[in-house]
Amino acid sequence: MHSSESKKSLPGIIIVVAIMFALPLLNAFTPESFFLHVSDFRLNLWGKYLCYAALAISLNLLWGYTGLLCLGQGLFFALGGYALGMHLMLKTAQSESDASGLPDFMDFMGYTELPAHWVPFDSFGVAVIAVMLVPGILAGVFGFLAFRARIKGVYFAIITQALTYAACLLFFRNEFTFGGNNGFTDFKTILGHGVFEPGTQRGLYILTAIYVTACMFFNWWLTRTKFGRVQQAIRDSENRVRFSGYSTTTYKLFIFIVAGVMAGIVGALYVPQVGIINPTEMRPDKSLEIVVWVAVGGRATIIGPVIGAVFVNWLKSFTTYHYPDYWLIILGAMFVFVVLFMPNGIVGLPAQLKALWAKHKHRFIKAEPNGDTAKA
Amino acid sequence: MRYSSPIILRFIALATCLLGMTSVNADESEARQILAEAMLSSGDDQMTLVESLVETGEPKIVDTYLEAWKRGDVYVYEAKDGSVIPLYIPEEDGVSGPRPATVVATGEIFVNRMGEPEMLDPTTLDSARPSRKTRKAFTRVIDLVALSSQDPIMRADAALKLGLKQDADYLPVLLEMQQKETDDKVNEAVAEGIAVSQLALGSKEERLAAIQTLQDMNSIAGMTALENFKFNLKDGVAGVEFTESEMAVLDSAMQSIESYIKVVDFIGTCFRGLSLGAVLVIVALGLAITFGLMGVINMAHGEMIAVGAYSAYISQQMFTSMFASTNLAYETYFFFAIPFSFLIAALCGLVLERSVIQFLYKRPLESLLATWGVSLILQQGFRLVFGAANRQVNSPSWLLGNIEIFDITFGYNRLFVIGFAALIVFGTWLLMTKTSLGLAVRAVMQDPMMASAMGIRIERVRMMTFAFGSGLAGLAGVFLSQIGSVGSNLGQSYIVDSFMVVVVGGVGNIFGTVISALGIGVTDQALQPAFGPVMGRITVLVIIIIFLQWKPGGLFPSNSRSLD
């Protein structure tokens, strides 16, 4: 059944990929008067949405396919962002004719030389490795402890939330040498290019689109492997899988690390496009928002998280601009609605409507109301 | 008859209020008259007048106006008929040009003939500068005026403060005071002050006696003086030489006080931790029922707390409008607020359970998500209804004071929270174990199908249980409104902590929740001095994560044969 499902999802993936790559082409090669033209601003906005999409895919690997509701995905995302941000801050500080060569916030704090853990980030390569390594190691250590103690279900959700909350408090401190609540901002260059030049931004967009494509195909491939099957079996009945002789702990730990690294890379793509990273990204509600994206799009589907992330964030941009007071109410109501009435999200909507239509027709013919159906 | 009692209460309150006003006024107006006169005179007259302020015993007025006079915020206004009036025009940041002035002699706003406040630009007026000689006397006057205060606590504080200055001028004043003073508490403070002063000023015998006194009194304030004295002895600048045996006396006195300080600190920490734990108990108890017993992850629990806090705010507003703004409103609204908040929050919980949660009992993870949506809606709703700014809920005065026993300060509000937490826990325990409702609740939570087969209406039991848990959250809101101001995300700051409390205590175990809340509270307070508040909090979270490694089921895991 799953293999046919993954075959079915292939056309959807291709459509999403086509749209993603059409946008930069429309941006670069169409005149501004053309009605499908995508402005630099819009392209940058879509770059942000795609970052969220990749983040949602990483959470979907955990929540959708393995049944691990991680409420700390924003933490891994932010750690990746911080790792690249450190490099960007150093380059910015060096490009300024600043005597100390230290990021501004360190000057304010009265540092005279770079703290030791900042020194290696002068090299772009180290920063890129750290983007993957730091979230990976944290996910490894935390996951090892949590899964070994067999913390699962809602307890896992709560404890990951506590983790991100603790990290958030930590990063808000100025003494933690990561800029306190201002975080990192005012970047100038990345690999010698001006960060906010349209060309750089377009390049970053394309990189993000490639990354989202890669994530989707990875996800698609994973669901077809034996690993993916075990992963889904863990979601459906962990005890049965364990009694069948599989070490569920190892499986869960592996997927937790993969998702953590995935989110870290997204963070690194996100920071130069948005131009800021600060501890608010680690706040527990940010991580919960990621869960909303996945739920709205459709969990345990490949394009669902992408559609959900883009849709919710597009709606957010729209409502926060037009009705700033009501955004949170809309988000909350949407969430309640989706959980109660659309358990399969947007992607599952056609099937749900079809079933509803069939039931309606059935009932219409029989003309016999059934008490149970109204409740479901 | 029904309406008579509030009116009588109002009358009493008004009368007390007026009585209080007059007694304060007598001293105050005398001090004001002298001050005004002093500001207008010069030379020795000025000096005499200022020194006479020591006798009036109205420290607040004297402090404020002498400071203002010194700073140059007092101006002399010349009226058209040639009379001169000293005015106080406080310096404010970013304010310049004409502004209202206060008449020093009466304390009222300066008005023109029409009775409207007269706006004056201080730059156009002459500043009333005290002479240099008078200014030197100010500190002394400010120091001494508190000694003749009506309030024994202020008197005691002032005496101790004077003693700590170790000034030869003040020692005779203190000795004189010792003869006259009748209040025991004040006398103790005076004796302590004298001992500290004599430690630096007296003869060798007096100093040894002072050391003995300080040791006997377990004087924490005297500790620094003793330390300084020891340094001075070593450097040979103390003015006396101590033999070895006398040194040993000093050392043992210091050791004895030090160990006393340690005990005091320890008990203080425990007490603060206990009161924080009590707040956590109240906050987490509702969660222990909805989450622990029912298995519903209610992310909107924090908003139920906020509902309770806002209900307290509303009841305060109601009482203030009913009783104008006499003290009485603040004294009594609290008793109304407690049941009111409980009911409103329980009602909200009831609506939430009927509209959302009842469909999600089989899907706990999704109830987490749906209730988070509800929490967002409620938060924004609060902001739209009550505004984005925080609301202030005033504490009744009987919650504001504190009692000091052996140098440990017990705040009444903290004591009250501890007592109330104990009461709530006891009540919940009674309800859960001694009533048939509690029996039904436990039956439904353990095995809903079987309970249903036994004729228990599980829908109704779940509804009532959830409402009860939410009502407890509302009670927590009333207490949090006493600790800080009420804002739309009041509950958010406690929600992570309360989930931690329940998980650590062992899900489904109310006793475990209480133990873990108190444990977390005390640990938090014990770590704070060493790590600071934020790092202390982080450390607690890390400790909890490690603790769950060791005991994944919490302190008191529920025993069950089912696998999940």
Side-chain angles (χ1 to χ4, degrees), chain A residues 311-363:
Chain A
F311 172 71
V312 174
N313 281 292
W314 171 81
L315 191 69
K316 183 180 187 172
S317 304
F318 179 80
T319 39
T320 43
Y321 183 73
H322 291 280
Y323 314 100
D325 280 349
Y326 296 98
W327 157 243
L328 281 178
I329 294 188
I330 292 171
L331 179 74
M334 182 165 67
F335 212 18
V336 175
F337 182 84
V338 166
V339 167
L340 286 181
F341 302 108
M342 284 168 54
N344 301 321
I346 294 174
V347 172
L349 202 57
Q352 212 183 341
L353 289 177
K354 220 180 195 172
L356 212 65
W357 173 242
K359 200 181 273 170
H360 175 76
K361 239 168 51 180
H362 186 68
R363 194 192 290 176

Side-chain angles (χ1 to χ4, degrees), chain B residues 385-404:
Chain B
V385 175
F386 294 97
N390 283 3
R391 297 291 171 166
Q392 199 62 45
V393 178
N394 297 316
S395 298
S397 61
W398 45 271
L399 274 181
L400 287 176
N402 54 48
I403 177 171
E404 208 168 284

Side-chain angles (χ1 to χ4, degrees), chain A residues 235-356:
Chain A
R235 172 192 66 194
D236 295 337
S237 175
E238 184 173 349
N239 285 321
R240 272 195 209 180
V241 180
R242 190 184 295 121
F243 295 156
S244 310
Y246 292 93
S247 162
T248 53
T249 308
T250 321
Y251 279 86
K252 288 197 287 188
L253 182 59
F254 180 75
I255 202 71
F256 192 58
I257 295 173
V258 168
V261 173
M262 221 174 192
I265 297 172
V266 187
L269 287 167
Y270 177 81
V271 165
Q273 295 191 61
V274 177
I276 185 167
I277 177 84
N278 60 30
T280 49
E281 299 294 339
M282 297 181 186
R283 277 179 29 194
D285 49 338
K286 286 274 178 181
S287 296
L288 270 159
E289 231 172 278
I290 307 172
V291 183
V292 187
W293 305 337
V294 177
V296 169
R299 58 185 279 218
T301 60
I302 289 158
I303 58 168
V306 179
I307 291 174
V310 172
F311 172 71
V312 174
N313 281 292
W314 171 81
L315 191 69
K316 183 180 187 172
S317 304
F318 179 80
T319 39
T320 43
Y321 183 73
H322 291 280
Y323 314 100
D325 280 349
Y326 296 98
W327 157 243
L328 281 178
I329 294 188
I330 292 171
L331 179 74
M334 182 165 67
F335 212 18
V336 175
F337 182 84
V338 166
V339 167
L340 286 181
F341 302 108
M342 284 168 54
N344 301 321
I346 294 174
V347 172
L349 202 57
Q352 212 183 341
L353 289 177
K354 220 180 195 172
L356 212 65

Side-chain angles (χ1 to χ4, degrees), chain B residues 119-173:
Chain B
M119 298 291 174
L120 292 170
D121 187 353
T123 50
T124 63
L125 296 171
D126 287 334
S127 166
R129 289 276 176 190
S131 71
R132 184 171 299 172
K133 206 171 127 204
T134 323
R135 211 174 323 162
K136 275 189 185 153
F138 279 7
T139 330
R140 192 181 138 82
V141 171
I142 290 173
D143 281 343
L144 290 179
V145 70
L147 281 184
S148 44
S149 162
Q150 299 279 337
D151 183 3
I153 295 174
M154 279 185 81
R155 233 161 39 226
D157 280 354
L160 184 57
K161 230 164 80 187
L162 280 192
L164 286 174
K165 291 201 171 172
Q166 302 187 323
D167 191 323
D169 288 347
Y170 293 146
L171 188 52
V173 180

Side-chain angles (χ1 to χ4, degrees), chain B residues 25-226:
Chain B
N25 272 345
D27 268 345
E28 196 185 309
S29 62
E30 195 188 338
R32 281 180 184 283
Q33 290 296 340
I34 297 172
L35 273 164
E37 222 170 298
M39 283 165 186
L40 294 174
S41 54
S42 61
D44 285 345
D45 286 350
Q46 195 179 47
M47 189 72 181
T48 328
L49 281 168
V50 167
E51 292 208 317
S52 74
L53 280 169
V54 171
E55 309 300 324
T56 62
E58 188 44 53
K60 229 160 65 190
I61 300 293
V62 174
D63 281 9
T64 320
Y65 283 94
L66 285 186
E67 288 291 335
W69 194 10
K70 203 157 105 184
R71 273 200 313 270
D73 286 348
V74 172
Y75 300 88
V76 178
Y77 178 78
E78 228 181 300
K80 288 207 176 90
D81 57 3
S83 63
V84 280
I85 309 164
L87 296 177
Y88 170 44
I89 308 177
E91 189 79 26
E92 280 172 58
D93 283 337
V95 180
S96 60
R99 48 186 191 263
T102 313
V103 181
V104 173
T106 59
E108 283 160 8
I109 300 286
F110 182 58
V111 292
N112 58 16
R113 242 172 295 157
M114 310 291 288
E116 287 161 354
E118 176 91 43
M119 298 291 174
L120 292 170
D121 187 353
T123 50
T124 63
L125 296 171
D126 287 334
S127 166
R129 289 276 176 190
S131 71
R132 184 171 299 172
K133 206 171 127 204
T134 323
R135 211 174 323 162
K136 275 189 185 153
F138 279 7
T139 330
R140 192 181 138 82
V141 171
I142 290 173
D143 281 343
L144 290 179
V145 70
L147 281 184
S148 44
S149 162
Q150 299 279 337
D151 183 3
I153 295 174
M154 279 185 81
R155 233 161 39 226
D157 280 354
L160 184 57
K161 230 164 80 187
L162 280 192
L164 286 174
K165 291 201 171 172
Q166 302 187 323
D167 191 323
D169 288 347
Y170 293 146
L171 188 52
V173 180
L174 285 174
L175 286 169
E176 190 190 340
M177 190 175 169
Q178 199 174 26
Q179 307 298 320
K180 288 192 297 190
E181 184 60 51
T182 49
D183 191 296
D184 283 349
K185 281 257 172 199
V186 182
N187 254 332
E188 233 171 75
V190 172
E192 200 174 346
I194 291 171
V196 172
S197 281
Q198 279 183 338
L199 192 63
L201 308 165
S203 66
K204 194 170 177 180
E205 286 68 38
E206 276 172 341
R207 292 188 199 217
L208 279 171
I211 291 171
Q212 193 56 47
T213 316
L214 290 176
Q215 181 179 2
D216 292 345
M217 295 180 88
N218 278 323
S219 164
I220 294 175
M223 191 63 196
T224 342
L226 284 171

